[in-house]
Amino acid sequence: MSLLRYRSEIIKFKEMNFTLKIWRQENARAKGRFETYQLQDISPDCSFLEMLDILNQQLIDKFEKPVCFDHDCREGICGACGLYINGRPHGPDKGITTCQLHMRKFKDGDTIVVEPWRAKPFPVIKDLVVDRSAFDKIIQAGGFISVNTGGVPDANTIPVPRKNADIAMDAAACIGCGACVAACKNASAMLFVAAKVSQFAMLPQGQVEAKERVLKMVQKMDELGFGNCTNTGACEAECPKEISLSHIARMNREYFSATFNA
Amino acid sequence: MIRLNAKIPEGPLADKWTRYKATQKLVNPANKRKLDIIIVGTGLAGASAAASLGELGFNVSAFCYQDSPRRAHSIAAQGGINAAKNYRNDGDSVYRLFYDTIKGGDYRSREANVYRLAEVSNAIIDQCVAQGVPFAREYGGLLDNRSFGGAQVSRTFYARGQTGQQLLLGAYGALSRQIAKGTVKMFTRSEMLDLVIVDGKARGIITRNLVTGEITRHAAHAVVLATGGYGNAFFLSTNAMGSNGSAIWQAYKKGAFFANPAFVQIHPTCIPVHGDYQSKLTLMSESLRNDGRIWVPKKKEDAEAIRAGKLSSVDIPEEDRDYYLERRYPAFGNLVPRDVASRAAKERCDAGYGVGTGLAVYLDFTDAINRLGKNVIEERYGNLFQMYEKITDENPYKTPMMIYPAIHYTMGGIWVDYELMTTIPGLFAIGEANFSDHGANRLGASALMQGLADGYFVLPYTIQNYLAGEIMTPRISTSLQEFQDAENAISERISRLMSIKGKRTVDQIHREFGMKLWDLVGMGRNKDGLQQALTSFKDMKDEFWGNIRIPGDAAGMNPELEKAGRVADFIELGELMALDALNREESCGGHFREEHQTPEGEAMRHDGKFMYVSAWEYQGKDKEPILHKENIDYEFIKVQVRNYKI
């Protein structure tokens, strides 16, 4: 046991080399292109974004412009980071964001292709940075419960069945990164919208505005140019928080009931 | 010397806030529309304040550097939020939450502020439930609680390991609703670079658009800073990469006093440092200490063998394990406050008992898994275990986690009075950006409580007491000379940074500075080290301003330029931290002066000399700031030596 562990640690620290093909684009109007970079001696324990940090340090040393990418918390919760890596949002690992991806998931000598989210409602700002403000607009259209500060009842006044609270929490885990849109061939935002609609549909506090909410959010989503859902499930497969398609089914029920009762 | 007036209302402790609210000045609805408020930062404090003030009818502008207000770093808080609901019937009360917070803060915070915090804590939970925050519930449908450090009751409300996320999304929802209504104007990817003062009052800010590089002026009748703490000065911390101290630092340079800069919280349970390419440290929630037991080997030779890879944790029999927190602090065990747990880990590692790289201890769930079953543990901490495994490639259900303390939170911040107003009239500071409620050490699950207390329930009252005097002031014009001057100064600073074209990257200098700050102004501090830090930071400033290299140009998106401005401020802030730590010749809370400890290694306060808040006043470049002291008077509770042993 101990010896095995020792050996595995030696293997663990072997450093790796990569070829990177990264999308570079000066600004929203400029034409983009892939640039190729060689990167040596990367530790397998290095995160994907730390690997890009190392590349950027080398670029700055050569008086070149570093690669721009969105990132902030680097622990998988803020939803800022999002890279399209080898044709998959957030790369080859499951249930994580780009910042939680580690280089041990790649093989020494791999070529890695890095692109921004590709979706019409998410225009490129620079290099790998895209504009996801469309998501904020969808929430502003109705992704909330309309209560002002103060004057609300005691928190334990309305019991919520634990099962429902758990489903609401599953949906509420969405970090708004946009991987679902990037994964979808139609650039549909159904999983993102469904996560919010479903969270409130499962809670008694969300019932009062339920109909209005789903209609307004879906309308805004369409208006912003997100595509239709054709139930391929690519969004669920790539969602870093593994949000289930069942939330889309629940939103559809909410939507139809709101339409017919309107 | 100016005497600091905290403006604490008269009367018995429990009546102060009620009395304040009953007698403060208010602004009528017609006048609210004519008053502009700027809020910088959209974390729990900023988003909740912007939403609440927008609901009241003020004309609010909110700013964040992220691409969306939903991404502020409050989102990363894992464990929970405290409130004195006493739903457990375990003896909790507003007074007990107040008392635990004062004691946890090692008797360096104001009674009146902390009592108000405990008093409004219950309303926060009510508010969040009404917003649809999916808190954890029991089978009967009522809210569940868990325990956190420094308390003997279970008063922490939680939403799995993502409480901060859920509370922030609740506040973000409320904010989004006001944005849609037009009461709040939201500016994303915008960084505040300076504060504008007109006739002695805060009247606006200068921002840089992080996409276009454009410098813009914004005016208002009052400015609120909700920009969080300055833990990222250390380079490695649990903060987000963009978290910075620049907004509060500019406020300090414009005359806002900076309080207790040396009070920094080092969180005991973080994933240890593992490589020199590392960009940040990841926290493992304090809630894990509910079920995890912390230990190192009893025998030095076992620790050495583990470090050499010849033994692993499972090879150490029970009798050879030292559960040092349970040994040293039988009454609180693994749930001692953060500063105590952090120092105890450092003590064991410094003595040669560390595992992993030598700077790590075990956090072991074996007993809890045997007692409760894997399912229960997975239910409670599943996402944390997954996070740990993704980073370290080790399965914490099978082998114990390895953890080590890391910089997490700053109790110090801009000095504010009871109304959360700084020493600059019209400038307010809320949440982690101010210094007000946590003394020398913050208890777990209290940051979320304070952020939302300030934003939902305190500032919306107190700011009116100030704004009531501004109803005759017409909209402030951004064409005033003061705005022109501030904008010119910012443009000059940016040109200067861009023109250095030296040899070193911002990260290289920041990393070097951060390591020094950690070594000399970190978990253990002494006079020689602090003096050395002061000299060394002066050299680092010269190195920065003489040798930094920023590629690209100032127009358009340039993350290196953004970082450079923040690091320039961090180095200056580090100097003030060292100066404050040098002045405070005692140990209290997160501030540990090695010269001041008991024979058992516990922190030793000197209440006779240091029962005060240090509030530093800027005097100009390269001049030593002036120290003002706000004495802390304990009228209602008896000050004691903090004891978590019995």
Side-chain angles (χ1 to χ4, degrees):
Chain A
M1 161 71 198
S2 307
L3 191 65
L4 270 176
R5 189 183 160 82
Y6 184 46
R7 284 218 180 112
S8 75
E9 273 172 15
I10 292 175
I11 296 162
K12 224 169 115 179
F13 287 112
K14 193 177 177 298
E15 290 175 339
M16 305 155 96
N17 301 330
F18 299 105
T19 302
L20 298 164
K21 290 185 187 297
I22 299 180
W23 184 260
R24 303 299 307 262
Q25 183 174 335
E26 192 50 39
N27 56 52
R29 293 167 305 282
K31 205 167 171 265
R33 72 212 174 271
F34 280 105
E35 290 278 345
T36 306
Y37 305 95
Q38 303 295 334
L39 207 51
Q40 264 94 46
D41 301 332
I42 299 296
S43 158
D45 285 335
C46 190
S47 77
F48 196 85
L49 297 186
E50 284 165 352
M51 182 273 295
L52 289 180
D53 290 342
I54 293 170
L55 171 70
N56 278 343
Q57 293 299 304
Q58 295 180 2
L59 291 176
I60 300 168
D61 282 341
K62 290 189 280 188
F63 283 102
E64 288 177 35
K65 285 185 187 175
V67 180
C68 284
F69 57 92
D70 262 328
H71 63 105
D72 205 19
C73 77
R74 294 208 178 187
E75 49 188 90
I77 194 73
C78 75
C81 69
L83 300 177
Y84 206 72
I85 302 163
N86 288 344
R88 293 184 63 183
H90 296 303
D93 205 357
K94 248 192 94 60
I96 53 156
T97 57
T98 303
C99 65
Q100 293 175 295
L101 177 64
H102 282 73
M103 298 315 291
R104 66 177 85 94
K105 295 290 169 188
F106 296 90
K107 288 199 295 292
D108 186 22
D110 273 359
T111 296
I112 306 172
V113 182
V114 192
E115 296 169 79
W117 285 171
R118 304 279 192 196
K120 206 178 94 203
F122 292 163
V124 172
I125 292 175
K126 187 174 184 179
D127 296 340
L128 304 170
V129 178
V130 299
D131 179 356
R132 286 169 290 192
S133 54
F135 270 9
D136 287 329
K137 291 184 187 127
I138 294 175
I139 297 295
Q140 286 157 20
F144 45 77
I145 292 173
S146 300
V147 288
N148 281 0
T149 303
V152 299
D154 182 88
N156 260 350
T157 307
I158 312 171
V160 180
R162 181 173 164 166
K163 202 176 136 223
N164 295 6
D166 282 347
I167 296 172
M169 181 61 219
D170 290 342
C174 170
I175 56 173
C177 65
C180 47
V181 175
C184 178
K185 62 186 170 70
N186 302 328
S188 169
M190 283 289 270
L191 194 62
F192 170 77
V193 180
K196 198 39 80 183
V197 168
S198 190
Q199 175 194 343
F200 293 142
M202 294 311 295
L203 298 171
Q205 292 83 0
Q207 299 312 311
V208 181
E209 298 167 283
K211 284 177 191 161
E212 208 183 336
R213 176 180 305 114
V214 67
L215 294 174
K216 281 185 175 169
M217 289 180 80
V218 170
Q219 189 195 349
K220 183 55 84 176
M221 169 179 80
D222 291 343
E223 200 180 295
L224 290 165
F226 291 98
N228 292 323
C229 175
T230 48
N231 293 312
T232 63
C235 52
E236 180 190 61
E238 301 295 0
C239 173
K241 297 296 155 186
E242 303 183 309
I243 290 174
S244 156
L245 279 181
S246 62
H247 297 295
I248 294 186
R250 183 170 298 106
M251 177 167 81
N252 285 336
R253 282 200 297 279
E254 292 279 315
Y255 186 81
F256 289 123
S257 111
T259 315
F260 291 129
N261 295 331
Chain B
M1 192 189 267
I2 307 165
R3 204 180 118 65
L4 287 168
N5 181 4
K7 294 193 269 182
I8 294 169
E10 294 296 315
L13 189 59
D15 297 345
K16 285 180 192 288
W17 181 230
T18 312
R19 223 177 254 214
Y20 175 87
K21 287 189 290 183
T23 53
Q24 68 160 119
K25 283 179 258 171
L26 295 173
V27 179
N28 87 6
N31 283 328
K32 281 185 183 127
R33 285 193 291 276
K34 296 181 200 153
L35 291 168
D36 304 329
I37 302 172
I38 283 173
I39 298 178
V40 189
T42 58
L44 286 178
S48 59
S52 304
L53 292 167
E55 287 162 10
L56 287 171
F58 290 104
N59 187 33
V60 180
S61 295
F63 297 81
C64 70
Y65 72 78
Q66 298 90 344
D67 70 325
S68 163
R70 68 177 292 150
R71 307 208 197 280
H73 199 53
S74 305
I75 204 150
Q78 298 167 351
I81 176 164
N82 287 330
K85 284 284 195 186
N86 193 31
Y87 284 159
R88 305 290 99 199
N89 194 31
D90 58 358
D92 203 6
S93 61
V94 167
Y95 185 85
R96 198 172 279 274
L97 174 54
F98 151 75
Y99 179 81
D100 286 347
T101 307
I102 291 267
K103 179 186 171 191
D106 217 356
Y107 302 95
R108 289 293 176 268
S109 44
R110 280 186 205 139
E111 279 181 327
N113 282 55
V114 178
Y115 195 88
R116 175 177 65 189
L117 175 67
E119 202 177 335
V120 303
S121 67
N122 292 339
I124 297 170
I125 304 302
D126 299 341
Q127 187 66 34
C128 295
V129 166
Q131 287 171 347
V133 169
F135 281 118
R137 288 178 183 268
E138 296 171 324
Y139 284 103
L142 301 181
L143 293 163
D144 193 17
N145 291 108
R146 54 168 58 144
S147 310
F148 254 60
Q152 287 172 315
V153 294
S154 291
R155 62 161 72 100
T156 306
F157 294 80
Y158 65 102
R160 292 198 191 138
Q162 294 123 280
T163 317
Q165 180 200 24
Q166 293 312 314
L167 298 178
L168 183 64
L169 293 181
Y172 161 74
L175 172 62
S176 297
R177 178 170 160 245
Q178 294 309 310
I179 295 171
K181 284 190 169 179
T183 60
V184 179
K185 190 152 190 246
M186 185 69 225
F187 297 83
T188 60
R189 295 198 195 262
S190 293
E191 182 159 9
M192 166 180 161
L193 295 181
D194 208 354
L195 174 73
V196 182
I197 293 181
V198 180
D199 297 332
K201 290 178 175 174
R203 292 299 195 194
I205 60 171
I206 307 291
T207 60
R208 179 170 178 272
N209 180 316
L210 301 182
V211 176
T212 62
E214 194 189 348
I215 306 292
T216 315
R217 309 169 188 183
H218 303 271
H221 293 88
V223 176
V224 181
L225 299 183
T227 52
Y230 47 92
N232 256 354
F234 291 82
F235 189 78
L236 286 181
S237 82
T238 64
N239 287 187
M241 302 303 286
S243 301
N244 68 81
S246 288
I248 56 173
W249 194 246
Q250 299 316 322
Y252 166 71
K253 285 183 151 181
K254 288 279 165 99
F257 292 4
F258 204 117
N260 298 335
F263 288 171
V264 172
Q265 176 160 84
I266 294 162
H267 197 291
T269 55
C270 299
I271 299 177
V273 178
H274 55 82
D276 56 10
Y277 48 82
Q278 202 164 347
S279 58
K280 77 156 274 165
L281 295 171
T282 304
L283 175 87
M284 287 285 109
S285 167
E286 176 160 317
S287 61
L288 292 169
R289 288 198 271 145
N290 269 298
D291 289 306
R293 297 178 71 196
I294 294 176
W295 65 276
V296 291
K298 237 178 222 170
K299 297 178 189 156
K300 223 177 235 181
E301 57 270 26
D302 284 349
E304 280 160 10
I306 288 174
R307 291 202 293 271
K310 291 174 192 156
L311 285 180
S312 92
S313 58
V314 291
D315 301 326
I316 311 297
E318 191 61 28
E319 63 272 18
D320 288 338
R321 299 178 175 193
D322 177 16
Y323 296 92
Y324 57 86
L325 288 178
E326 297 169 32
R327 168 171 59 80
R328 286 178 65 177
Y329 308 101
F332 282 69
N334 291 294
L335 282 173
V336 290
R338 293 175 175 176
D339 56 332
V340 177
S342 290
R343 270 198 296 281
K346 180 180 191 290
E347 187 277 331
R348 283 293 80 189
C349 292
D350 288 353
Y353 295 91
V355 295
T357 58
L359 292 179
V361 300
Y362 289 126
L363 176 61
D364 198 333
F365 293 88
T366 316
D367 284 357
I369 291 171
N370 291 341
R371 189 176 73 241
L372 304 162
K374 194 188 157 199
N375 287 350
V376 175
I377 296 301
E378 197 172 351
E379 208 171 80
R380 286 185 189 166
Y381 314 110
N383 71 319
L384 299 170
F385 277 44
Q386 185 227 24
M387 197 192 264
Y388 182 87
E389 189 172 358
K390 291 290 179 192
I391 293 172
T392 61
D393 209 18
E394 283 180 10
N395 180 347
Y397 293 103
K398 291 185 180 149
T399 53
M401 286 185 180
M402 279 195 274
I403 50 154
Y404 197 68
I407 295 291
H408 180 53
Y409 183 91
T410 53
M411 284 74 69
I414 294 292
W415 185 90
V416 289
D417 58 25
Y418 188 74
E419 299 184 307
L420 306 181
M421 189 154 84
T422 69
T423 47
I424 300 174
L427 180 70
F428 294 78
I430 59 176
E432 191 180 352
N434 74 28
F435 87 105
S436 73
D437 294 354
H438 306 296
N441 173 58
R442 179 176 65 74
L443 288 182
S446 285
L448 304 186
M449 173 172 66
Q450 186 222 337
L452 290 181
D454 287 359
Y456 282 134
F457 297 111
V458 180
L459 185 77
Y461 287 86
T462 59
I463 201 170
Q464 292 194 52
N465 206 29
Y466 173 78
L467 287 174
E470 294 289 330
I471 54 172
M472 301 305 284
T473 312
R475 291 237 134 85
I476 313 294
S477 160
T478 53
S479 327
L480 293 171
Q481 189 59 38
E482 287 84 351
F483 279 89
Q484 181 68 51
D485 293 347
E487 186 184 325
N488 289 349
I490 287 303
S491 300
E492 270 165 37
R493 188 182 197 226
I494 290 174
S495 314
R496 196 174 150 210
L497 283 168
M498 295 304 298
S499 67
I500 299 168
K501 297 192 192 307
K503 290 201 173 64
R504 301 186 67 195
T505 67
V506 181
D507 281 2
Q508 281 165 356
I509 292 189
H510 191 185
R511 200 182 283 271
E512 185 187 328
F513 166 71
M515 291 268 278
K516 275 197 183 138
L517 195 62
W518 174 249
D519 287 342
L520 302 171
V521 199
M523 255 195 291
R525 301 156 171 185
N526 59 58
K527 194 174 179 186
D528 288 348
L530 291 167
Q531 278 165 342
Q532 195 190 321
L534 285 169
T535 324
S536 161
F537 296 166
K538 283 202 169 55
D539 297 343
M540 294 232 61
K541 256 197 293 194
D542 295 341
E543 169 74 2
F544 179 92
W545 286 101
N547 203 14
I548 202 81
R549 172 184 295 181
I550 304 166
D553 47 65
M557 183 173 267
N558 190 338
E560 291 299 309
L561 174 61
E562 294 164 28
K563 285 193 283 185
R566 296 165 191 166
V567 172
D569 294 336
F570 277 143
I571 299 176
E572 294 179 8
L573 222 160
E575 270 186 300
L576 190 66
M577 286 162 72
L579 194 63
D580 188 41
L582 191 61
N583 169 69
R584 193 168 279 276
E585 289 194 44
E586 65 164 348
S587 295
C588 63
H591 169 67
F592 192 70
R593 280 288 298 265
E594 285 156 357
E595 304 94 322
H596 302 275
Q597 52 180 312
T598 65
E600 302 88 51
E602 303 296 339
M604 205 153 76
R605 288 196 327 252
H606 299 307
D607 290 342
K609 280 165 78 181
F610 292 99
M611 193 77 108
Y612 63 75
V613 174
S614 328
W616 297 89
E617 183 186 8
Y618 185 69
Q619 293 296 305
K621 195 167 177 275
D622 298 326
K623 287 188 189 140
E624 185 141 324
I626 293 178
L627 171 65
H628 301 270
K629 298 174 182 175
E630 180 202 339
N631 288 321
I632 308 171
D633 305 315
Y634 286 99
E635 271 182 78
F636 302 95
I637 63 171
K638 198 170 146 241
V639 176
Q640 290 170 323
V641 173
R642 228 168 26 143
N643 184 350
Y644 293 99
K645 291 175 189 291
I646 46 168

